[in-house]
Amino acid sequence: MSKLTIETQENSWRHRCPNGHKVAPTNDHWYCRHCANSWDDDAEPEIEKAIDEKTGERLRREDVELDFEVKGVYYA
């Protein structure tokens, strides 16, 4: 599996939850704010693998490197 580096705002939002919502990287998993705010009891906001919208590949959080020099990229 390839390693992806998030270094732009565009790259930061190319990951999706299984429901198709944008997800944000956290310390050790992915987080979907939309699923967290959903009334659906089956919605799971903490996701082990996110779907890369560009490639269709499923990525674990550890497969993605974050560039903390880019402002405004990391928020959930």
Side-chain angles (χ1 to χ4, degrees), residues 20-38:
H21 310 129
K22 295 177 182 178
V23 296
T26 66
N27 291 341
D28 60 356
H29 62 275
W30 298 95
Y31 183 79
C32 178
R33 185 190 315 182
H34 191 277
C35 286
N37 293 328
S38 173

Side-chain angles (χ1 to χ4, degrees), residues 37-51:
N37 293 328
S38 173
W39 289 95
D40 184 358
D41 290 336
D42 294 330
E44 181 58 53
E46 295 180 1
I47 302 157
E48 183 178 323
K49 290 185 178 180
I51 301 165

Side-chain angles (χ1 to χ4, degrees), residues 4-74:
L4 173 71
T5 301
I6 295 178
E7 29 186 41
T8 66
Q9 187 73 25
E10 180 181 292
N11 280 345
S12 71
W13 290 116
R14 66 190 256 190
H15 301 97
R16 306 289 179 180
C17 77
N19 294 319
H21 310 129
K22 295 177 182 178
V23 296
T26 66
N27 291 341
D28 60 356
H29 62 275
W30 298 95
Y31 183 79
C32 178
R33 185 190 315 182
H34 191 277
C35 286
N37 293 328
S38 173
W39 289 95
D40 184 358
D41 290 336
D42 294 330
E44 181 58 53
E46 295 180 1
I47 302 157
E48 183 178 323
K49 290 185 178 180
I51 301 165
D52 185 333
E53 185 178 50
K54 188 173 182 180
T55 66
E57 187 175 20
R58 292 183 174 268
L59 297 169
R60 294 173 302 192
R61 172 57 190 86
E62 63 197 41
D63 295 325
V64 177
E65 292 180 3
L66 306 178
D67 181 350
F68 291 103
E69 300 299 316
V70 180
K71 295 183 179 182
V73 172
Y74 312 104

